[in-house]
Structures are given as structure tokens and as C-alpha cells.
Amino acid sequence: MVCTKPTTSASTTQGDTVKPVKKTPLHERHLALGATMIDFAGWTMPVYYTGIIEEHKRTREGAGLFDICHMGEIDITGPGAFDFLQLILSRNLEGQQIGQLKLSVMTNERGGILDDLTFYLLGDQHYRLVTNAGSREKDLTWILKVKKEYGFTNISVTDRSNTIGKIDLQGPKAAAILQPHVPADLSTVKFYHFVFSNIAGIETLISRSGYTGEDGFEIYTEAGHVTVIWDLLLKTGTDHGLLPAGLGARDTLRLECGMMLYGSDIDEGSTPFEALYGWVVDLNKPFIGRDALQRQQVEGIGKKLIGFEMVDKGIARHGYRVLKEGQDVGVVTSGTFTPTLNRAIGLAYVPPSMKEPGTEIDIEIRNRPTRAQVVRLPFYRRPT
């Protein structure tokens, strides 16, 4: 049976504009848990339930459960699937095994980042792209455009975003919480690999991956079944310290680990070399954007995304100016106070000459230059 996400659109009125708001299958669960809801990328999503700091710390120490149904899933199948993905992704797919996922970026002809996404090799000639929520429609339009212009008649592109539900179970206790419900031996699932198994008899794809820097799992199932798994994990995970966690904690967790957020830290105005994605670029194979990136590699980049921590008191936010000796040199893309490290951190674009750890910069906070310094990423790395 194919179930669909209840994307029935409510609407919010902002001035004279009526803006559609989509809901995930877990919307009623969030309301019942007392979540504070926000509009994110056209979706109404929980930003927190009990509090961002508590949900953040609980995920680091126990486990957090996240509703990620708003992300996109696009299947590419057929004899030309491998060649097509080699064309649209910067990462080289050579050597990828069935049961393995990888992270890549998709770039335009100028080398600008259209999206950062993961791609799963589900079976022979069958890939799945998992896109950011705000990029899913743009990605699909781009993929269909390239398919047509390059004559890939031997592939099929299927947008499965409305039929797949996704929740993320993250934290050091994630395996202990999930294993009793899964026939597959999760201890054999390596990082960035996945298995097809079931939870409470419901077919799922379970990958050992996530966006928090912790051990954990991303769980995919049919949208109509995701509430059953959500309820089961929350009921049985309490003894391991499991809490539902919202987008607020997801953002502070990912930033501590130096992970970028599309639309804030990266977009079509930045390239993989300017951001932190040079490692997913293989210039030895053809792909859209390669020529531009080859030129950039020779000519050099004009900006570089760096991590910084505040020396003076203050929290830098997205869009704040970065100064050096009173002159504008860059802009903050993300900033927060980190609950784990107990200090203010952020990401910013600065001239490449200022990328070295220890370089002092100023962030303009409330019209006042506030001292910060460049630090090595990630800010936090989970214990091994």
C-alpha cells in the first residue's frame, strides 16, 4: 500500500500574501507534545518541545528523535542512472556498493552549489537522492532539465517525497533504543551504510548516518506508517533518556560539528572550494560545474568559510558583518551559543588570507565591533 504524506496545506497570512504551509504526518503528534511550531521552508515544523538546550544536551548524552519528513527523496533508476549521477554530482560514484550512501554537492555550470545531498545505492541501477527541504522542488526541476538536455532517455526520475516519511534517531543511546525493534543486527551496519529491515513489522530503510555529529540512524518508511514508529520509539526509549527534539536543537547540534546549512552557509553563490566541500569534488571526472571549478582551483578563491569563536561576550548571528581593522571583510552565515562547549561560535566567509586558526577578527554586534578568532573545525567531535 502506498500512503501519502498529509500535505494538506493550511495557510498563514503575512500582510497581503497568503502563504501555504505544509504539514508532516507527525503534525498532530507535535501539537500533542506541546511543541512550539514555526514555518520552515514552507513547512510547519517543531522548533522545540521542552527547550532547545535540553533537547540538544539530551541528544549528546542520550538520544533525540527528529521529524525529518519535510526533506525530499528522488529516485533515479535505469541503465543510465550511474552516468547521469556522475554528470550532476561532484562526487565520484565509482566503487560505491549497494548498501552504501555518500554525501555530495550538485553544482550549476558556474560551480555554484545547487544543493548538498546524500545519495543511496539501493540496488542495481537504482539510486535515491535525499535533498534539503527548501531545495527539493528546485533540485527536481534541475534534474529533469539535465535529463532532457543531455538526452538521458534510459533513466526514470521519480519524486517520492510525498510518499516517504523520515525520522532521525540520534545520540549515543540510539542503537540501544532501536535494536530491540529491528531484526537486522545494527552492530554490523557501518557508518554511512544502510540496511532494509522492519520496525514493528513495518518495512524500513535504516541508515547509520545523521546531521548531529552523533551516532544514530535515519529511518525511512512509507509516510502513512511513520507515526507508528515515532510512537514506539518514544514509548520505549524513555529509559535511555530519549526526547523528541525540534529544529532548534538540530541547528545547534549540526553547527557544533561544523556542518553547513543550505540557504545559510551555502547556496548558488558559493562553490564547494569556498565552502567546506572541496573533499567531495573529483575534478578527474566530467560533471556539470567542473570547468568552472577547475578555473577556480587555478585562479584561487575570493572567500573562504571558516569557523570562529567569540573572544568577547556576544553571539554572532546570520548576516552580521565581519570586520578587520574596522573594514568590512566578510559576513557571518551561522552563529549560536553552544550548549556542549559553553561558548559562542559561528561560521563566516572571510578572505582566504584570514582562514588560519588564531586569526583575530571582529564581528559587529549591535553596532559595536566584538572580538572573535578563527578556530579549527569541527568545534565538537564526539568521543570515540
Side-chain angles (χ1 to χ4, degrees):
M1 181 179 70
V2 176
C3 303
T4 58
K5 287 180 184 175
T7 54
T8 304
S9 297
S11 64
T12 58
T13 302
Q14 298 178 351
D16 296 329
T17 302
V18 177
K19 188 175 182 181
V21 176
K22 292 174 280 191
K23 301 175 182 177
T24 78
L26 293 164
H27 181 76
E28 296 302 322
R29 297 298 196 276
H30 302 322
L31 298 183
L33 289 166
T36 296
M37 308 296 285
I38 61 168
D39 180 7
F40 177 80
W43 294 78
T44 179
M45 299 294 294
V47 62
Y48 63 83
Y49 302 85
T50 55
I52 293 174
I53 293 177
E54 182 181 12
E55 292 161 23
H56 178 114
K57 289 185 174 179
R58 193 66 70 87
T59 304
R60 288 271 182 257
E61 297 166 0
L65 190 63
F66 300 81
D67 176 7
I68 313 296
C69 292
H70 57 320
M71 294 183 72
E73 294 87 11
I74 301 171
D75 282 3
I76 312 290
T77 58
F82 175 86
D83 291 336
F84 180 74
L85 289 175
Q86 285 285 61
L87 177 65
I88 66 169
L89 299 178
S90 66
R91 191 86 179 262
N92 196 331
L93 280 67
E94 292 281 1
Q96 185 177 7
Q97 303 294 316
I98 295 174
Q100 186 178 18
L101 63 145
K102 290 186 175 183
L103 176 66
S104 182
V105 294
M106 189 162 62
T107 53
N108 59 27
E109 294 88 344
R110 302 182 302 279
I113 300 173
L114 287 161
D115 201 4
D116 61 336
L117 39 76
T118 51
F119 58 100
Y120 290 67
L121 181 51
L122 301 183
D124 186 30
Q125 302 176 358
H126 187 177
Y127 291 86
R128 174 166 298 161
L129 302 179
V130 180
T131 77
N132 281 292
S135 308
R136 47 191 283 188
E137 293 177 2
K138 181 182 71 171
D139 289 1
L140 181 61
T141 299
W142 173 259
I143 287 168
L144 293 174
K145 175 176 179 287
V146 174
K147 176 182 182 294
K148 180 179 180 181
E149 290 184 354
Y150 284 81
F152 275 91
T153 57
N154 56 352
I155 66 166
S156 294
V157 177
T158 306
D159 181 11
R160 299 208 61 203
S161 304
N162 287 337
T163 61
I164 292 178
K166 178 177 184 287
I167 55 178
D168 288 3
L169 176 63
Q170 299 283 293
K173 301 293 182 61
I177 293 169
L178 186 58
Q179 184 62 82
H181 308 295
V182 180
D185 182 358
L186 296 177
S187 68
T188 65
V189 182
K190 296 185 292 185
F191 189 57
Y192 262 56
H193 286 70
F194 64 89
V195 292
F196 291 104
S197 190
N198 69 78
I199 300 174
I202 297 171
E203 292 182 357
T204 58
L205 183 160
I206 303 170
S207 64
R208 196 159 207 149
S209 52
Y211 192 49
T212 64
E214 292 296 334
D215 186 20
F217 302 92
E218 297 180 272
I219 302 167
Y220 301 83
T221 188
E222 287 193 5
H225 294 151
V226 73
T227 54
V228 176
I229 297 174
W230 174 272
D231 292 343
L232 176 66
L233 294 179
L234 280 185
K235 180 179 179 181
T236 59
T238 305
D239 291 343
H240 294 284
L242 178 66
L243 276 183
L247 294 183
R250 186 172 170 84
D251 191 55
T252 54
L253 288 160
R254 68 91 189 167
L255 183 52
E256 279 187 348
C257 302
M259 297 178 180
M260 294 164 283
L261 176 65
Y262 194 84
S264 292
D265 306 306
I266 51 175
D267 56 26
E268 292 184 53
S270 51
T271 73
F273 293 146
E274 294 167 339
L276 307 173
Y277 275 143
W279 65 277
V280 300
V281 175
D282 186 347
L283 295 177
N284 294 313
K285 61 113 183 180
F287 64 93
I288 296 172
R290 185 187 70 165
D291 292 347
L293 293 175
Q294 280 182 322
R295 288 194 298 273
Q296 190 174 59
Q297 190 179 54
V298 173
E299 298 170 359
I301 56 177
K303 61 181 181 181
K304 184 64 182 177
L305 190 67
I306 54 91
F308 67 84
E309 65 179 29
M310 300 304 300
V311 176
D312 294 338
K313 289 184 178 179
I315 300 176
R317 300 296 187 188
H318 176 82
Y320 283 15
R321 299 163 65 200
V322 180
L323 310 172
K324 184 72 172 178
E325 298 176 353
Q327 301 298 312
D328 275 301
V329 294
V331 63
V332 174
T333 57
S334 288
T336 191
F337 185 84
T338 159
T340 305
L341 305 175
N342 199 35
R343 60 177 182 263
I345 59 172
L347 299 175
Y349 281 105
V350 299
S353 61
M354 299 180 188
K355 70 178 183 180
E356 295 303 322
T359 302
E360 292 190 339
I361 55 177
D362 291 318
I363 310 294
E364 187 177 74
I365 302 176
R366 297 189 179 91
N367 299 317
R368 183 173 62 87
T370 308
R371 184 54 50 93
Q373 71 173 3
V374 178
V375 298
R376 195 177 305 281
L377 294 170
F379 303 102
Y380 165 85
R381 193 186 300 276
R382 70 182 168 93
T384 56

